[in-house]
């Protein structure tokens, strides 16, 4: 029996539970990180507020202790509640994103890590696993044992043995890497008149959302850096979200030039030590500027004064698994809760954002011209129905001659094909059997460099079989269609003297290698570059004058809601790589449908025309941004139970004016990682909130443990 006058507190745990649990305690306050008993374990959670009183004080367990970290600010707690309410995710699952580094919360202790030995003994045995350990250490900071073992894919025993053999040496890591302070008064470049005007307008706004809309190369980054500088001068923290954090090498360099120091980084490629350091520095206000992926939004900033969402149209901002949320939209919410400005940046803004501009909810600033008079590239379509590539070839004669001219002039060219591997489909010539993934509704993609067939959805890998499992024919498999590897083969045969490089997310080992490759390209050590969308993003290659898009129609095939919008954004972004410096650029789009609105908009540089067309289409069909969508995805290994539950949900589906429910239907990806999948799509008018409806709906059917449910508000993927 407790004899002290304790209070009760609601504590939110970073677990997918329905809500807070009450605990008794003394001397704790809302926002404190506390350790509490949960069943037989101890768990770290956050004091959310006064207890609910549902359980009598005498029966409550006590808070065990308070952690020595700054409390989670009130604004962050409100944000977590709002994100949970909007996405229908358990608040604890959202909290987990805000405290994703449990190590950061633990009391400070020495962390020891391994580095390469400075004088490794000669003649030590180097097995493949030992080599991998050395490779990992050669390419990055010292790492603690567990992390090193995981990254190198070896057991911890290997690491111990290597230490004994003197191949690696222990170091103790500093607890707090000093975060240099970016300097808001550090001199920036001289802005052009347009840039200055936009920058001044950004600085003048103390809240609200602004779209910074400018063609690629117009200096949007330099302009929003001015807003970051203003936030720093005002003593505030600033957050910049980037969609593809592995590609930020050039961005970080520019930031450092502009502010004299690096920002704190937050993304999945950080080591646990870097993570801990960054989290603490952000929480105690030491880190003034944070650049990160979408999850950086949930960090415990005590004093956030600005959020920038660069490339706001990027689909990478939508998180699909776990808590599914759109980071751009949540950034707007975070900014609104704190009454701070949010800047959305893009050369091809999303229709959602443009609609918010025209409804007067967001303001917009334009940067109409490329910096320093660089011209926008000329775009032309190559009609593949007339200008045909040879059989089993993918480059049309027109594109080949353009490549000849460009390479002959000593300039750089890029061939863009958004498909990894050698061929997207392998089939048996004898019976037509297609090689499918055993776990997913998907074809296996041949990767010749690794000699494997791969599923791009679940990671399944296999060797190409000798004989067909259906008809028994031997050596009958044929590759269908091109991937970048196959294209590289074709290009190498056409231009044997050109220095070539292929750039995809999977062929280069990690962000460091990507960034090295990008630097090599920028230095013109490569003549002909072949790549997937990883090359489309934000790079500045001064000598690149020709972009050939091998299959401009690729993204239109699936036909989902945003197919046209997305294809345009991607093509525009790839096209923007051409002619960024003095030499004019040229873009050639290979297409079977040159009259498609997307191709026409590309060729005549008529973005507004395409937007008007798309908005009209969406309005007609009451699709976003004019209507709302929410998806329910049910999945299970047990198909029978799955269909039973899907039918039960269908019987009690919401209905009413302005509301419709499609499904249950097998998802286009009817099987993923061995689980069967069924989808519902709820569509409603923009003035109806889908969340309460879905909550009521789901309350009517009890889900068995074997059936998993994912709710996706504002879905971007319909697979
Ligand atoms: P965007 O983000 O709109 O694509 P960037 O900010 O990347 O454009 O600018 C394109 C290039 O022009 C970059 O290399 C950048 O450093 C340069 N640049 C833009 N504005 C200026 C300026 N005012 N002074 C010097 N260089 C500039
Ligand atoms: Zn698969």
């Amino acid at each position: 029996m407790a004899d002290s006058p304790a209070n009760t507190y609601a504590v939110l745990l970073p677990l997918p539970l329905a809500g807070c649990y009450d605990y008794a305690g003394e001397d704790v306050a809302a926002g404190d990180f506390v350790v509490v008993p949960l069943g037989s374990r101890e768990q770290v959670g956050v004091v959310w507020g006064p207890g609910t009183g549902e359980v009598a004080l005498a029966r409550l367990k006590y808070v065990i202790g308070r952690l020595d970290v700054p409390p989670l600010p009130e604004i962050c707690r409100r944000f977590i509640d709002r994100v949970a309410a909007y996405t229908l995710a358990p608040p604890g699952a959202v909290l987990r994103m805000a405290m994703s580094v449990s190590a950061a919360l633990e009391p400070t202790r020495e962390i020891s890590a391994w580095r390469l030995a400075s004088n490794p003994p000669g003649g030590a045995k180097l097995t493949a696993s030992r080599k991998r350990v050395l490779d990992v250490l050669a390419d990055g900071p010292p790492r603690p044992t567990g992390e090193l073992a995981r990254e190198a894919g070896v057991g911890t025993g290997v690491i111990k043995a290597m230490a004994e053999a003197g191949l690696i040496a222990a170091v103790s890591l500093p607890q707090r890497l000093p975060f240099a302070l970016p300097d808001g008064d550090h001199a920036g470049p001289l802005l052009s008149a347009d840039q200055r005007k936009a920058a001044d307008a950004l600085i003048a706004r103390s809240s609200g959302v602004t779209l910074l809309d400018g063609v690629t190369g117009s200096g949007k980054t330099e302009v929003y850096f001015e807003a970051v500088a203003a936030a720093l001068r005002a003593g505030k923290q600033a957050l910049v979200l980037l969609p593809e954090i592995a590609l930020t090498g050039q961005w970080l360099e520019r930031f450092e030039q502009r502010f004299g120091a690096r920002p704190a980084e937050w993304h999945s490629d950080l080591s646990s030590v870097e993570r801990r350091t960054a989290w603490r520095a952000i929480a105690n206000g030491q880190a003034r500027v944070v650049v990160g992926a979408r999850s950086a939004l949930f960090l415990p900033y005590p004093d956030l004064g600005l959020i920038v969402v660069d490339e706001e149209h990027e689909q990478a901002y939508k998180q699909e698994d776990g808590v599914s949320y759109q980071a751009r939209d949540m950034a707007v919410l975070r900014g609104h809760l704190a009454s701070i400005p949010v800047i959305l940046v893009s050369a091809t803004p999303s229709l959602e954002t443009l609609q918010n501009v025209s409804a007067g909810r967001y303001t917009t600033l334009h940067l109409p011209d490329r910096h320093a008079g660089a011209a926008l590239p000329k775009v032309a379509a190559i009609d593949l129905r007339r200008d045909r590539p040879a059989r089993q070839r993918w480059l049309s004669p027109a594109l080949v001659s353009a490549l000849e001219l460009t390479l002959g002039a000593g300039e750089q060219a890029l061939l863009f094909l958004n498909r990894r591997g050698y061929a997207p489909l392998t089939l048996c010539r004898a019976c037509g059997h297609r090689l499918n993934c055993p776990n997913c509704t998907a074809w296996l993609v041949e990767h010749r460099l690794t000699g494997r067939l791969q599923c791009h959805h679940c990671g399944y890998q296999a060797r190409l079989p000798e004989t067909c499992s259906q008809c028994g024919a031997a050596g009958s498999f044929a590759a269908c269609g091109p991937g970048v590897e196959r294209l590289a083969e074709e290009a190498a045969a056409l231009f044997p003297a050109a220095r070539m490089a292929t750039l995809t997310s999977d062929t280069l080992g990690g962000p460091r290698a990507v960034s090295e490759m990008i630097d090599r390209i920028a230095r013109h050590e490569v003549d002909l570059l072949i790549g997937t969308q990883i090359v489309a993003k934000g790079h500045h290659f001064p000598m690149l004058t020709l972009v050939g898009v091998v299959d401009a129609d690729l993204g239109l095939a699936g036909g989902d809601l945003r197919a046209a919008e997305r294809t345009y954004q991607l093509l525009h972004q790839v096209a923007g790589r051409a002619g960024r410096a003095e030499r004019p650029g040229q873009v050639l789009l290979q297409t079977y449908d040159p009259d498609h609105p997307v191709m026409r908009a590309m060729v005549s540089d008529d973005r507004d025309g395409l937007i008007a067309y798309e908005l009209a289409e969406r309005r007609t069909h009451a699709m976003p941004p004019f209507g709302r969508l929410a998806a329910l995805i049910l999945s299970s290994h047990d198909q029978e139970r799955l269909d039973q539950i899907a039918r039960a949900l269908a019987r009690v589906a919401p209905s009413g004016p302005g509301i419709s429910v499609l499904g249950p239907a097998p998802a286009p990806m009817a099987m993923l990682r061995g689980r069967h999948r069924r989808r519902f799509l709820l569509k409603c008018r923009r003035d109806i909130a889908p969340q309460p409806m879905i909550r009521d709906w789901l309350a009517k059917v009890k889900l068995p443990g074997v059936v998993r449910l994912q709710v996706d508000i504002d879905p971007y993927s319909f697979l």
Side-chain angles (χ1 to χ4, degrees):
M1 212 30 230
D3 52 2
S4 57
N7 292 315
T8 70
Y9 298 95
V11 173
L12 187 61
L13 302 171
L15 300 168
L17 307 166
C20 291
Y21 285 179
D22 276 5
Y23 287 90
E26 294 140 50
D27 284 342
V28 295
D32 281 350
F33 285 89
V34 290
V35 180
V36 295
L38 180 72
S40 58
R41 318 179 269 149
E42 292 182 1
Q43 172 75 47
V44 174
V46 175
V47 177
W48 221 244
T52 58
E54 278 164 21
V55 181
L57 178 60
R59 292 185 41 221
L60 288 181
K61 294 196 171 161
Y62 266 70
V63 169
I64 297 170
R66 186 175 55 192
L67 295 177
D68 182 23
V69 282
L72 189 66
E74 202 244 347
I75 185 97
C76 298
R77 300 191 318 264
R78 264 167 56 210
F79 181 53
I80 288 168
D81 281 335
R82 291 286 295 269
V83 171
Y86 189 85
T87 59
L88 292 175
V94 183
L95 173 65
R96 188 159 52 193
M97 301 196 286
M99 47 186 277
S100 58
V101 236
S102 53
L105 302 165
E106 287 159 13
T108 324
R109 64 184 159 84
E110 287 272 283
I111 298 175
S112 69
W114 301 104
R115 61 170 171 78
L116 294 176
S118 15
N119 294 309
K125 217 170 61 196
L126 274 192
T127 57
S129 29
R130 287 182 168 198
K131 277 212 199 79
R132 284 205 301 278
V133 172
L134 296 180
D135 284 348
V136 168
L137 286 179
D139 187 31
R143 289 163 172 77
T145 308
E147 191 163 330
L148 181 56
R150 180 161 44 82
E151 274 188 57
V154 303
T156 50
V158 173
I159 289 166
K160 285 210 190 81
M162 289 178 74
E164 276 158 23
L167 291 165
I168 55 176
V171 282
S172 87
L173 294 176
Q175 286 307 311
R176 261 163 223 234
L177 304 176
F179 264 84
L181 292 187
D183 176 5
D185 292 317
H186 199 271
L190 192 62
L191 298 185
S192 70
D194 282 334
Q195 290 175 340
R196 185 75 258 163
K197 225 171 94 195
D200 288 343
L202 285 180
I203 293 168
R205 301 207 68 198
S206 60
S207 64
V209 183
T210 308
L211 168 65
L212 181 58
D213 178 355
V215 298
T216 48
S218 57
K220 297 186 292 298
T221 314
E222 302 296 342
V223 169
Y224 75 67
F225 276 176
E226 295 305 299
V228 171
L232 287 174
R233 287 194 299 271
K236 299 283 187 185
Q237 290 175 300
L239 165 65
V240 179
L241 294 180
L242 298 178
E244 205 117 4
I245 207 74
L247 302 173
T248 51
Q250 283 188 328
W251 189 96
L252 287 170
E253 270 165 37
R254 282 175 67 182
F255 185 91
E256 195 169 358
Q257 267 170 22
R258 174 67 185 79
F259 293 101
R262 292 209 154 205
E265 291 178 56
W266 186 262
H267 49 79
S268 55
D269 289 321
L270 296 184
S271 72
S272 66
V273 178
E274 290 168 321
R275 217 159 244 280
R276 173 197 165 89
T277 311
W279 195 93
R280 288 215 162 216
I282 290 161
N284 67 26
Q286 212 183 347
R288 305 310 296 169
V289 181
V290 179
V291 60
R294 57 198 178 203
S295 58
L297 205 49
F298 295 94
L299 295 172
Y301 308 93
D303 207 10
L304 191 60
L306 173 71
I307 306 176
V308 178
V309 185
D310 202 349
E311 308 288 3
E312 68 87 26
H313 61 275
E314 280 285 340
Q315 186 143 4
Y317 283 121
K318 181 68 201 275
Q319 168 151 314
E320 233 98 61
D321 35 51
V323 179
S324 49
Y325 67 97
Q326 162 50 281
R328 174 199 61 222
D329 297 347
M330 295 305 115
V332 170
L333 170 64
R334 177 71 172 78
H336 176 74
L337 288 176
S339 294
I340 59 171
V342 175
I343 305 174
L344 307 180
V345 183
S346 178
T348 52
S350 61
L351 289 195
E352 281 80 1
T353 294
L354 290 169
Q355 181 54 26
N356 279 322
V357 167
S358 63
R361 287 186 286 268
Y362 300 173
T363 44
T364 178
L365 296 167
H366 287 280
L367 289 175
D369 302 312
R370 276 191 160 183
H371 176 67
L376 283 170
K378 292 250 173 311
V379 182
I382 295 176
D383 186 343
L384 288 175
R385 293 167 307 185
R386 299 206 194 98
D387 209 338
R388 283 177 186 279
R391 240 180 72 75
Q392 300 287 33
R393 294 283 178 274
W394 321 100
L395 300 175
S396 62
L399 184 49
V400 172
S401 14
L403 286 165
E404 271 163 7
L405 283 176
T406 302
L407 296 173
E411 295 170 354
Q412 244 173 354
L414 160 66
L415 288 174
F416 174 75
L417 177 62
N418 208 9
R419 250 200 206 135
R420 294 185 281 135
Y422 186 82
L425 166 66
T426 305
L427 59 70
C428 170
R429 267 185 303 245
C431 73
H433 172 60
R434 297 167 173 202
L435 294 181
N436 287 307
C437 175
N439 314 316
C440 306
T441 314
W443 295 337
L444 289 173
V445 177
E446 183 183 359
H447 286 248
R448 268 196 199 171
L449 292 177
T450 55
R452 301 238 153 200
L453 296 163
Q454 274 181 28
C455 172
H456 285 178
H457 300 279
C458 73
Y460 172 87
Q461 298 203 356
R463 297 207 166 278
L464 188 66
E466 314 252 301
T467 56
C468 175
S469 65
Q470 299 298 300
C471 71
S476 66
F477 287 111
C480 292
V484 282
E485 288 180 11
R486 195 171 201 180
L487 194 63
E489 203 174 84
E490 180 176 350
L494 286 166
F495 306 105
R499 295 166 299 173
M500 284 181 36
T502 305
L503 196 56
T504 62
S505 53
D506 59 339
T507 50
L508 291 168
R512 249 171 265 264
V514 172
S515 131
E516 261 162 43
M517 175 61 89
I518 301 283
D519 288 344
R520 281 186 51 212
I521 300 162
R523 288 197 303 267
H524 200 179
E525 290 171 25
V526 169
D527 303 308
L528 179 54
L529 173 64
I530 296 178
T532 56
Q533 56 161 352
I534 198 168
V535 299
K537 309 280 161 74
H539 308 298
H540 189 61
F541 302 135
M543 286 302 286
L544 182 69
T545 57
L546 172 65
V547 169
V549 177
V550 175
D551 184 352
D553 310 327
L554 189 58
L556 296 170
D560 82 41
L561 169 65
R562 295 181 179 82
E565 177 187 2
R566 214 155 45 214
T567 302
Y568 178 77
Q569 285 161 344
L570 184 59
L571 293 179
H572 185 95
Q573 198 153 33
V574 187
R577 296 314 108 211
R580 286 174 69 94
E582 299 86 54
R583 297 168 190 244
Q586 182 191 10
V587 178
L588 295 172
L589 308 174
Q590 296 198 134
T591 171
Y592 283 97
D593 192 3
D595 289 325
H596 192 284
V598 168
M599 303 309 149
R600 290 223 301 264
M602 284 296 300
V603 169
S604 53
D605 191 19
D606 184 16
R607 183 186 101 181
D608 294 346
L610 181 69
I611 289 165
Y613 167 83
E614 268 294 301
L615 281 175
E617 288 280 296
R618 303 260 187 104
R619 196 190 294 271
T620 309
H621 299 104
M623 282 298 203
F626 302 102
R628 295 184 187 276
L629 294 178
L632 261 50
I633 303 124
L634 297 160
S635 69
S636 179
H637 291 287
D638 183 340
Q639 192 170 350
E640 212 172 303
R641 288 292 271 152
L642 178 67
D643 283 322
Q644 219 175 5
I645 293 296
R647 281 194 302 270
L649 277 169
R651 280 193 292 273
V652 292
S655 61
I659 299 164
S660 62
V661 174
L662 301 172
M669 189 75 78
M671 176 115 112
L672 182 62
R673 296 185 194 94
R675 302 176 71 90
H676 301 277
R677 300 166 80 242
R678 303 287 180 266
R679 295 187 68 110
F680 286 94
L681 187 64
L682 179 142
K683 188 175 157 197
C684 65
R685 276 200 327 253
R686 200 172 184 286
D687 59 343
I688 302 176
Q691 289 86 353
M693 247 181 323
I694 295 177
R695 219 188 300 253
D696 290 349
W697 183 11
L698 296 179
K700 291 178 190 154
V701 175
K702 172 134 180 52
L703 285 192
V706 293
V707 175
R708 202 184 290 159
L709 167 72
Q710 194 200 343
V711 179
D712 189 1
I713 306 287
D714 306 328
Y716 279 65
S717 162
F718 300 86
L719 290 179

